[in-house]
Amino acid sequence: MLPGCTIKGVSPRWAVIVHGGFLSPQRAQQVAVVQEARAALAEAARAAGAILDRDGSGMDAVEAAIMILEDCPQFDAGRGSALTADGQVEMDAAIMRGQDLAAGAVAGLTRVRNPIRAARAVLERSSHVLLQGTGADQFAAQQGLEQAELSYFVTDRMRDHLRALQQQAVPANNDLGTVGCVVRDAGGQITAGTSTGGITNKLPGRVGDSPLIGAGTYADSRVCGASATGQGEYFIRIAATHTLCALMEMKGLDLDTAMEQVIRQRLSAVGGKGGMIALDPAGALVARANIPGLLFAALRSDGVSVATFDDAVASGHDAGENHEH
Ligand code: ASP
């Protein structure tokens, strides 16, 4: 069984799952880091759950959860974003509404405090799906979204990480902290969102999987919703989140089986590392990865909630939990 978790059982009124990417083995040993990341994920899941509990929309819930994670410097999104090879931030985000397959995404943002809000604005206030670079920054500013200086986004940790990578003192891509959220609201609609700073030492202009609909983010209320994290280039090549959905819709696989197939037979087959969170119309939740350290939290209206970090991973074992409720 791959590392991760599955929750099934009676269909709840609403369901939320969030992720915070992966902790590297070094950071997984730091108690304060694990605690802060866990607390932020739990807060994000609760914030989304509170909105859904009062019949709020999936868009509001996903946006609220992701903003909390973007503001937490432990994750590679918003504040704490990974740095480009020249020490800048270029942030990507996407949100998709499964009800009508409407989607909004941004790539290469440099000044927007909460990129997920810019992605939502593209969906709701433009006729496009994806804006990138200067135009995306300008659009977000015109929409009145809060701006921030480079110094807000850049943390010492990410500056040190960039330096270490450039001096080849650490293995590449060992800290993947993209954030994501997928919800099923009380009206039965599924919404998914993802936000990231990308990968450290990326070339300026590089765009990952997160803002690409069907790669890092996808939602179709009839089938499933998903958000990915890991080495984006591989998730793009296998159209990971859309493939998950297609396997369920066209092959009739359940969420768990489809997830196993995407990760084992597609992602691992091309040499990619990472994982995904997903849920289906019945409120079944899955978090699964082919490397240890996936940070996630889940919450449902029926009271089911799941710890945010696989403790077996924290103690260095490459083994996964598998909750069946
Ligand atoms: N998937 C992200 C990207 O490639 C990185 C991550 O998940 O941390 O941009």
Side-chain angles (χ1 to χ4, degrees):
M1 181 62 73
L2 294 163
C5 161
T6 301
I7 305 168
K8 295 180 190 154
V10 185
S11 184
R13 202 164 76 83
W14 52 259
V16 176
I17 186 160
V18 294
H19 74 80
F22 295 87
L23 279 181
S24 64
Q26 297 81 356
R27 296 184 74 228
Q29 302 303 323
Q30 297 170 27
V31 176
V33 169
V34 175
Q35 278 176 352
E36 190 181 339
R38 288 182 85 133
L41 284 161
E43 188 190 340
R46 274 198 305 270
I51 289 169
L52 300 178
D53 207 46
R54 47 176 195 266
D55 292 335
S57 74
M59 295 291 287
D60 285 345
V62 167
E63 181 184 59
I66 290 185
M67 283 175 67
I68 288 168
L69 301 173
E70 287 174 337
D71 289 347
C72 174
Q74 295 301 342
F75 303 112
D76 167 18
R79 180 147 184 259
S81 279
L83 303 180
T84 61
D86 55 2
Q88 306 297 307
V89 291
E90 293 183 3
M91 300 171 287
D92 305 335
I95 191 162
M96 185 159 184
R97 189 169 64 199
Q99 183 175 2
D100 55 358
L101 306 187
V106 283
L109 288 183
T110 61
R111 296 197 302 263
V112 183
R113 175 174 167 161
N114 293 107
I116 194 67
R117 296 190 69 198
R120 182 176 183 173
V122 172
L123 188 160
E124 292 178 343
R125 297 184 235 152
S126 86
S127 57
H128 306 302
V129 169
L130 173 60
L131 291 181
Q132 59 84 31
T134 321
D137 267 324
Q138 275 169 4
F139 172 78
Q142 283 159 4
Q143 297 302 317
L145 301 185
E146 188 177 341
Q147 310 281 293
E149 298 292 320
L150 181 63
S151 58
Y152 165 79
F153 297 108
V154 178
T155 57
D156 289 345
R157 178 171 79 81
M158 282 312 203
R159 205 182 281 119
D160 292 348
H161 189 48
L162 176 63
R163 195 174 308 122
L165 271 181
Q166 291 183 334
Q167 292 167 354
Q168 297 180 337
V170 289
N173 297 334
N174 73 341
D175 224 353
L176 301 155
T178 289
V179 305
C181 176
V182 190
V183 305
R184 204 215 60 184
D185 64 29
Q189 302 300 338
I190 295 175
T191 307
T194 312
S195 180
T196 187
I199 51 174
T200 304
N201 204 28
K202 64 184 181 181
L203 288 177
R206 178 263 189 190
V207 176
D209 59 314
S210 310
L212 302 184
I213 299 306
T217 308
Y218 199 74
D220 179 339
S221 295
R222 299 166 308 135
V223 188
C224 76
S227 169
T229 175
Q231 299 166 327
E233 281 70 7
Y234 296 95
F235 285 84
I236 296 171
R237 289 162 57 193
I238 63 166
T241 51
H242 183 264
T243 298
L244 178 77
C245 228
L247 284 173
M248 293 176 70
E249 185 176 9
M250 294 171 195
K251 268 184 117 182
L253 302 186
D254 65 35
L255 182 65
D256 213 18
T257 311
M259 181 71 101
E260 285 272 331
Q261 287 208 1
V262 173
I263 294 189
R264 273 189 205 279
Q265 293 174 16
R266 315 259 167 148
L267 184 66
S268 300
V270 294
K273 295 196 172 81
M276 289 194 277
I277 57 166
L279 57 71
D280 72 9
L285 304 161
V286 177
R288 196 74 59 205
N290 65 3
I291 50 172
L294 180 65
L295 287 158
F296 59 91
L299 193 62
R300 305 200 315 186
S301 56
D302 57 0
V304 172
S305 86
V306 169
T308 58
F309 187 60
D310 184 342
D311 290 318
V313 171
S315 57
H317 302 296
D318 191 347
E321 287 176 66
N322 200 39
H323 301 274
E324 297 271 353
H325 290 270

